[in-house]
Amino acid sequence: MEVDFLLIGQGLAGTILSYRLIKEGYSVRIIDEPQANNSSRVAAGLYNPVTGRKMVKTWNADLLFPEIEPLYEELEGFLESKFLYKKPIYRPFLNIEEQNEWMGNSEDEKFRVYLKKIQTNPLYEEVKNDFGGVILTNSGYLDINTLLDSYSKFLKQKNALEEAYFDESKLIIANEKIQYNDISAKGVIYCNGLGTMKSKYFSFLPFSPVKGEILDLKQDFQPEEIINRGVFRISLPNGLVRVGSTYSWHDLDQGPTERAKIELYERLENLVRVKEKKLIDHKTGIRPATKDRRPLLGKHPDHESVYVFNGFGAKGVSLVPYYSKMMVDLLKNQNQPQNDVNISRFFKYI
């Protein structure tokens, strides 16, 4: 089989990049070990323009967010499947000073596109929001599992997906051509999350894996908004509530932990006054984050046909639509990615 590009991994990164390549007229073959893309499978899929304790705009928000909803809506139409849920995010204020600060932000042009309303009084009696809060727009979440499953079905119909373990020892690079078993390609792209850490080509990249855990609960309170302060709380279509997420750089085993469950319960109690809850599911995954919290895009310094598209961490839903366009520009036109995401920033460590 001869294709333009061989992609390793059909998580969110491999899915979106391959879709863009196919749209550009390229042929692709993806090798994916389904149980290995655990990071995408358990992610909550939240996209949020204002984050952190200090409630600041997400890094590169003005570049990222115009790409998010149009791409996923396009994919919904293409795959005839529903997985994008556009929802406002309600972030309660902790004190009157925050309320005053955001009243000022509402007049700032750089925030206006992300602000739906400044709430000066409590929005819900079930939420600990005595000082009101900010209601954000251009936000929501992606049902990543449904997207991956729908796209996998499409790939199989095109004979473009092989569900198997990728054995790098069988990858042959000769005259900058790629050969893997019966697959010949012009280039290979590593989109396989933490699997890239084991690659002899990209072992120099500074991944910093982060474990995250989320809970699915049964609770009666079902607001339209995603409630987010210290922990996010999403009302799901199935009547459950999703709560997350934890961040651990130390406990990197795959299993859920009692410590994380207790932490999430405590954070939830600091957010809402609803006491009753029934645990339905407890999920965990290891995110392919990087030490500088920036994605990894680019070409190997010594091999023209070996690329990486990776390192999106916990914000893949927000980052991948924009940076997949940048990656296609590299593959198609050899235009280098921006310096802050280009893997060339780490060549000095080889």
Side-chain angles (χ1 to χ4, degrees):
M1 173 182 290
E2 190 162 335
V3 296
D4 291 309
F5 295 105
L6 171 64
L7 279 71
I8 312 304
Q10 196 239 314
L12 187 64
T15 291
I16 301 303
L17 179 59
S18 64
Y19 173 71
R20 288 204 185 276
L21 287 170
I22 291 170
K23 280 185 62 180
E24 290 288 333
Y26 293 104
S27 57
V28 303
R29 179 76 169 175
I30 299 179
I31 298 176
D32 180 70
E33 191 176 5
Q35 61 270 31
N37 57 31
N38 196 39
S39 174
S40 291
R41 288 286 180 180
V42 303
L46 192 66
Y47 60 101
N48 178 6
V50 175
T51 61
R53 293 180 182 177
K54 297 183 179 180
M55 292 205 297
V56 297
K57 269 205 310 186
T58 297
W59 173 71
N60 270 356
D62 295 338
L63 296 174
L64 303 177
F65 277 74
E67 301 291 339
I68 295 171
E69 291 178 351
L71 174 66
Y72 294 128
E73 287 177 322
E74 178 184 320
L75 271 165
E76 282 186 323
F78 178 73
L79 298 171
E80 299 181 342
S81 183
K82 173 68 176 175
F83 38 79
L84 177 67
Y85 295 87
K86 296 188 281 186
K87 286 180 173 286
I89 292 177
Y90 180 50
R91 292 183 63 97
F93 297 135
L94 298 181
N95 48 53
I96 195 67
E97 287 78 17
E98 277 193 350
Q99 183 190 101
N100 290 335
E101 181 180 354
W102 276 89
M103 292 292 287
N105 286 342
S106 66
E107 300 302 318
D108 190 332
E109 187 66 32
K110 68 180 182 181
F111 281 101
R112 196 171 297 167
V113 68
Y114 306 112
L115 295 181
K116 183 176 181 180
K117 183 181 180 182
I118 302 296
Q119 184 77 22
T120 56
N121 298 310
L123 182 63
Y124 292 106
E125 64 179 22
E126 296 91 344
V127 177
K128 295 183 179 180
N129 60 151
D130 294 346
F131 302 98
V134 57
I135 303 176
L136 304 169
T137 188
N138 283 313
S139 55
Y141 74 95
L142 190 72
D143 180 348
I144 300 178
N145 281 332
T146 298
L147 167 58
L148 298 186
D149 290 341
S150 299
Y151 192 72
S152 174
K153 182 179 179 181
F154 159 73
L155 290 173
K156 289 175 181 177
Q157 291 172 346
K158 289 178 60 69
N159 192 31
L161 175 64
E162 178 181 339
E163 293 183 335
Y165 168 73
F166 172 66
D167 183 354
E168 189 178 72
S169 68
K170 297 181 180 179
L171 186 70
I172 301 171
I173 303 175
N175 299 319
E176 295 309 327
K177 279 281 198 175
I178 299 296
Q179 187 72 38
Y180 183 81
N181 292 337
D182 65 339
I183 303 169
S184 298
K186 299 174 184 176
V188 60
I189 311 166
Y190 284 74
C191 308
N192 54 333
L194 294 176
T196 301
M197 293 177 64
K198 302 174 184 177
S199 169
K200 66 181 181 181
Y201 299 107
F202 296 112
S203 59
F204 66 91
L205 294 176
F207 282 94
S208 181
V210 180
K211 182 178 182 178
E213 302 189 43
I214 59 175
L215 307 177
D216 284 353
L217 305 174
K218 181 69 175 178
Q219 280 192 318
D220 290 337
F221 179 47
Q222 293 278 328
E224 172 63 22
E225 296 87 357
I226 298 169
I227 312 297
N228 187 354
R229 192 66 195 257
V231 68
F232 62 75
R233 186 185 186 278
I234 304 174
S235 302
L236 300 176
N238 62 5
L240 298 180
V241 170
R242 181 156 295 161
V243 177
S245 174
T246 61
Y247 296 84
S248 173
W249 287 265
H250 308 293
D251 172 27
L252 297 181
D253 66 83
Q254 291 289 332
T257 64
E258 185 69 15
R259 175 198 55 76
K261 183 177 75 171
I262 293 171
E263 178 185 337
L264 290 172
Y265 280 164
E266 290 176 347
R267 291 186 185 183
L268 181 62
E269 289 179 4
N270 287 331
L271 183 66
V272 299
R273 296 185 172 93
V274 183
K275 293 293 184 181
E276 76 280 357
K277 57 184 177 293
K278 180 181 180 182
L279 180 63
I280 304 300
D281 199 5
H282 183 174
K283 302 175 183 177
T284 179
I286 312 297
R287 309 178 182 104
T290 61
K291 288 187 177 179
D292 64 359
R293 304 291 183 267
R294 299 291 182 261
L296 301 168
L297 282 68
K299 182 193 302 183
H300 191 277
D302 299 321
H303 298 284
E304 288 288 319
S305 54
V306 180
Y307 302 85
V308 65
F309 183 66
N310 212 317
F312 296 99
K315 296 184 178 179
V317 169
S318 302
L319 295 168
V320 169
Y322 176 78
Y323 286 109
S324 59
K325 290 179 64 176
M326 189 176 292
M327 189 68 192
V328 169
D329 194 28
L330 168 63
L331 297 168
K332 181 179 179 180
N333 303 314
Q334 295 301 302
N335 289 329
Q336 287 293 319
Q338 296 168 351
N339 291 336
D340 54 355
V341 298
N342 196 321
I343 61 169
S344 62
R345 68 193 192 271
F346 301 117
F347 286 173
K348 60 186 175 182
Y349 300 118
I350 298 178

